[in-house]
Amino acid sequence: MSRRLANNCVPSIDRALTIMEVLADSKRGLTNSEISRKQKLPKSTTSYILRTLEQRGYLYKDHDSGKY
């Protein structure tokens, strides 16, 4: 779900919302690596975004499978 950013978008917020949309479309959840590949983002960037969203209560991580 790659989109072109509008001139006034905040890239980090756009990435976070796109990650949430990708996860919402996933029936069984995705790992950090899978999200990173799908969004063509560095794993570290994806990890920081996922961790923040999890800490804020927007996502849940299944620690057995590693999927969000």
Side-chain angles (χ1 to χ4, degrees):
M1 180 184 304
S2 179
R3 290 187 227 165
R4 191 161 210 237
L5 290 177
N7 290 337
N8 57 352
C9 277
V10 178
S12 59
I13 295 172
D14 187 68
R15 287 184 196 119
L17 292 172
T18 300
I19 286 172
M20 290 180 64
E21 291 168 352
V22 166
L23 284 167
D25 290 341
S26 171
K27 294 187 190 308
R28 297 179 185 248
L30 297 166
T31 65
N32 179 28
S33 294
E34 291 168 331
I35 296 166
S36 176
R37 276 193 301 273
K38 282 181 176 279
Q39 296 305 303
K40 297 183 175 107
L41 292 171
K43 279 204 274 189
S44 60
T45 299
T46 305
S47 180
Y48 288 126
I49 292 170
L50 289 169
R51 193 173 320 130
T52 301
L53 291 170
E54 181 184 14
Q55 288 174 352
R56 296 293 305 267
Y58 289 95
L59 298 178
Y60 169 78
K61 181 178 182 178
D62 180 305
H63 291 280
D64 292 333
S65 69
K67 291 184 178 186
Y68 289 88

